[in-house]
Amino acid sequence: MPVFDLATTELRALNQALHALDKSGVPEDFEITNPRGAHAVAVGIDAPVNVTINGSVGYYCAGMNEQATVTVNGNAGPGVAENMMSGKVVIKGDASQYAGATAHGGLLVIEGNASSRCGISMKGVDIVVKGNIGHMSAFMAQSGNLVVLGDAGDALGDSLYEARLFVRGTVKSLGADCEKKEMRAEHIDLLTKLLADAGITDVKPEEFTRYGSARTLYNFSVDNFDAY
Amino acid sequence: MCGIVGLFLKDKSLEPQLGALLSEMLVTMTDRGPDSAGIAIYGADQNDLVKLTIQSPEPETDFAGLTEDLRKAGIKNASILPKNTHAVITVSSDQIDATRSALEDLRPNVRVMGTGTAMEIYKEVGLPKDVLERFKISDMSGTHGIGHTRMATESAVTTLGAHPFSTGSDQCLVHNGSLSNHNNLRRELTREGIRLETQNDSEVAAAYLTGEMAKGKNLGEALTSALDDLDGFFTFVVGTKSGFGVVRDPIACKPAVMAETDAYVAFGSEYRALVNLPGIEDAKVWEPEPATVYFWEH
């Protein structure tokens, strides 16, 4: 198993080794030690590789990920899994601002709390947060699912498009054009699958409330001027 | 961008290492702010004595014979300890104002960076590593300190534009962000009689807190008022003689990570700044909440 100790190895050597992997191969698992808050750890992977990072990472860890499963045994800095396309990213600790921003696909699991702007402009990713999320989460979120087992901060889902938001705890406030929605059978099925994918077995889908777009800000209307 | 760090020691046995620990934290933040760097350190309080940290663009000329000249001007017992472009003048606490005005007459090029019974401030243009070495910061001991690496946005890259800013005795502030109502506030604070030296937005924040504390608020209360009265982006780390405070604006774009153990409370713009602190593996590490005041007192 390739082991990269970032206390003694250049970050670029690690990322180049990951980029050199065969897209359709079955690579060996990678282990990364001593990340010590480094930026851009394991970004831009496009191979079905398992990467385990032992320690906390800085900005943009696992950004643009395709296919890979990246697990961080620590906390993640801003922009974790930003623009992920597919694969899975698991953060065992907390994540900082804009986790999963603009991500198109794959699954992001944050086992601790996520801070502000979680899932901002998400475009198809599934995000499951076991703890709480901060303010302005899912701002302008376009598609995909955000599942929060804890509470959400201010202005959840502001200017939301078609992403689905499921919150188990309280929501401090909803953003413009975001509203509470009915949980239908299809949503229970969807949540059941997302919770299972995230390895969560002790929480029932019925405990969540769904939020989505009221679709009143899609087209400019002068009556909505104050909401812009 | 800018990088900020802070370290507030709870365990006295770490005090001899304060300068070294803070230096390491600050150098790690070089790529957030390579323009200039500065540090404020709170050392031992000396009975009835006050320190003025001064700076000169021509230290050889300005610091030569300064003690003598101050004594002639009536500042008895003045002593001076030059450190590169800065010097620490120690005088009796009742002579602080007299010393300031004597300096204005005797050495018009000299700037007072800060005053206080415990605080010393060192800041210069240049890479953080070089700035710290010039002042031998890593040899300094103390109870708490804050530091800043600057990537300038609101005013020129000069020594006076570097952080920390000190606008009151033993008070200092470092700022990551930019304020949008600083011009108005500067006029109001000037009218209240608070002295500002630069056109920098962060100095206005420091002066605002000085003004609030002068009205009798403690550091925590002053920081709470700042959330109402300051407009713009900010993560502030603030020091007073016995206190250490952190506050972020409600939008909280500017990054912040904190760590606490039985031995210290530490602040960094990024987790990278904290990784060499003793016992960081087992520290409580968290991101300070937006619009929430955190402060600690000795």
Side-chain angles (χ1 to χ4, degrees):
Chain A
M1 176 168 72
V3 178
F4 284 78
D5 181 352
L6 291 182
T8 54
T9 314
E10 288 281 316
L11 175 68
R12 185 162 289 179
L14 163 71
N15 283 338
Q16 283 177 344
L18 288 166
H19 298 164
L21 295 172
D22 184 356
K23 271 186 189 198
S24 47
V26 187
E28 279 187 283
D29 294 355
F30 273 59
E31 186 184 342
I32 300 164
T33 57
N34 291 311
R36 296 160 65 83
H39 300 175
V41 176
V43 293
I45 308 175
D46 185 7
V49 60
N50 289 313
V51 179
T52 303
I53 304 169
N54 292 317
S56 292
V57 290
Y59 282 75
Y60 310 125
C61 177
M64 302 178 285
N65 185 52
E66 291 195 67
Q67 304 192 68
T69 297
V70 178
T71 305
V72 178
N73 290 316
N75 301 318
V80 65
E82 187 169 84
N83 215 64
M84 173 157 63
M85 303 303 285
S86 64
K88 185 174 177 181
V89 175
V90 180
I91 310 301
K92 294 287 182 183
D94 296 335
S96 183
Q97 303 182 58
Y98 46 93
T102 75
H104 290 246
L107 174 66
L108 169 62
V109 180
I110 296 159
E111 299 203 350
N113 300 313
S115 97
S116 59
R117 294 172 274 274
C118 178
I120 185 170
S121 196
M122 55 194 270
K123 296 178 172 70
V125 68
D126 293 323
I127 303 176
V128 179
V129 182
K130 286 195 183 175
N132 305 322
I133 58 171
H135 64 277
M136 292 301 278
S137 287
F139 176 58
M140 293 186 86
Q142 288 143 58
S143 68
N145 302 294
L146 173 62
V147 180
V148 183
L149 274 62
D151 302 331
D154 272 319
L156 175 71
D158 193 286
S159 308
L160 188 67
Y161 293 91
E162 291 303 299
R164 297 181 199 90
L165 317 179
F166 301 95
V167 183
R168 184 159 157 259
T170 60
V171 173
K172 201 169 174 196
S173 68
L174 291 174
D177 210 33
C178 181
E179 63 177 14
K180 199 167 163 177
K181 301 237 178 188
E182 179 198 359
M183 279 282 257
R184 296 194 298 266
E186 70 207 71
H187 303 117
I188 299 288
D189 291 348
L190 173 67
L191 258 179
T192 306
K193 180 185 176 304
L194 289 169
L195 291 169
D197 288 351
I200 296 164
T201 51
D202 54 346
V203 171
K204 293 192 185 70
E206 291 79 7
E207 294 169 23
F208 290 79
T209 305
R210 180 169 72 103
Y211 300 88
S213 176
R215 303 188 177 102
T216 59
L217 293 178
Y218 274 33
N219 299 301
F220 180 75
S221 158
V222 77
D223 297 335
N224 292 332
F225 188 74
D226 288 345
Y228 285 97
Chain B
M1 199 146 66
C2 299
I4 50 183
V5 299
L7 187 59
F8 178 84
L9 298 179
K10 299 195 245 177
D11 177 357
K12 281 192 176 303
S13 69
L14 281 176
E15 289 181 5
Q17 294 177 54
L18 180 75
L21 292 169
L22 263 177
S23 296
E24 200 163 11
M25 293 167 77
L26 199 66
V27 169
T28 314
M29 291 292 97
T30 297
D31 48 10
R32 297 192 67 90
D35 291 342
S36 48
I39 211 148
I41 285 205
Y42 293 81
D45 192 0
Q46 305 165 71
N47 285 341
D48 299 327
L49 293 177
V50 174
K51 297 188 270 195
L52 294 92
T53 311
I54 60 169
Q55 183 268 355
S56 164
E58 289 168 343
E60 293 84 3
T61 335
D62 276 338
F63 299 161
L66 181 56
T67 327
E68 197 77 343
D69 291 350
L70 282 172
R71 283 180 188 166
K72 278 184 203 152
I75 316 294
K76 297 189 175 54
N77 307 324
S79 69
I80 178 167
L81 180 67
K83 265 193 178 184
N84 203 276
T85 56
H86 288 46
V88 177
I89 300 177
T90 307
V91 296
S92 315
S93 53
D94 55 353
Q95 289 198 301
I96 183 89
D97 293 334
T99 310
R100 273 193 109 122
S101 48
L103 277 170
E104 278 172 23
D105 296 338
L106 295 166
R107 300 287 192 274
N109 288 328
V110 159
R111 294 276 174 267
V112 177
M113 303 312 236
T115 64
T117 56
M119 183 189 73
E120 294 175 21
I121 288 193
Y122 300 92
K123 55 185 184 182
E124 270 302 348
V125 173
L127 281 175
K129 174 177 160 287
D130 300 335
V131 173
L132 294 166
E133 268 169 23
R134 284 169 86 166
F135 302 116
K136 307 267 178 279
I137 301 294
S138 57
D139 297 340
M140 294 182 75
S141 62
T143 51
H144 54 300
I146 65 177
H148 186 270
T149 63
R150 181 165 187 235
M151 190 175 280
T153 54
E154 293 285 307
S155 65
V157 178
T158 58
T159 306
L160 282 184
H163 303 216
F165 284 100
S166 178
T167 49
S169 179
D170 280 317
Q171 295 169 7
C172 64
L173 168 141
V174 289
H175 175 204
N176 180 197
S178 54
L179 301 180
S180 40
N181 64 340
H182 60 102
N183 283 329
N184 235 350
L185 264 177
R186 187 183 291 107
R187 282 191 285 274
E188 287 171 20
L189 291 164
T190 309
R191 207 176 305 129
E192 286 170 26
I194 293 174
R195 180 181 165 136
L196 289 114
E197 306 266 350
T198 73
Q199 290 302 305
N200 186 285
D201 59 328
S202 311
E203 187 188 20
V204 173
Y208 170 83
L209 295 175
T210 299
E212 293 304 298
M213 286 191 272
K215 292 175 195 163
K217 291 182 180 171
N218 70 18
L219 174 60
E221 290 161 346
L223 290 171
T224 304
S225 309
L227 285 166
D228 291 330
D229 292 335
L230 300 183
D231 188 18
F233 295 120
F234 54 85
T235 295
F236 293 133
V237 181
V238 181
T240 64
K241 189 175 170 185
S242 58
F244 176 80
V246 172
V247 70
R248 304 173 79 195
D249 70 76
I251 306 291
C253 284
K254 298 300 175 186
V257 181
M258 301 206 65
E260 185 166 13
T261 69
D262 290 342
Y264 58 79
V265 179
F267 176 96
S269 288
E270 297 177 30
Y271 179 71
R272 281 190 302 158
L274 312 177
V275 294
N276 287 326
L277 290 171
I280 188 71
E281 305 78 19
D282 304 315
K284 177 193 166 202
V285 175
W286 79 101
E287 185 169 307
E289 294 282 330
T292 304
V293 171
Y294 297 82
F295 80 107
W296 290 263
E297 296 257 12
H298 272 131

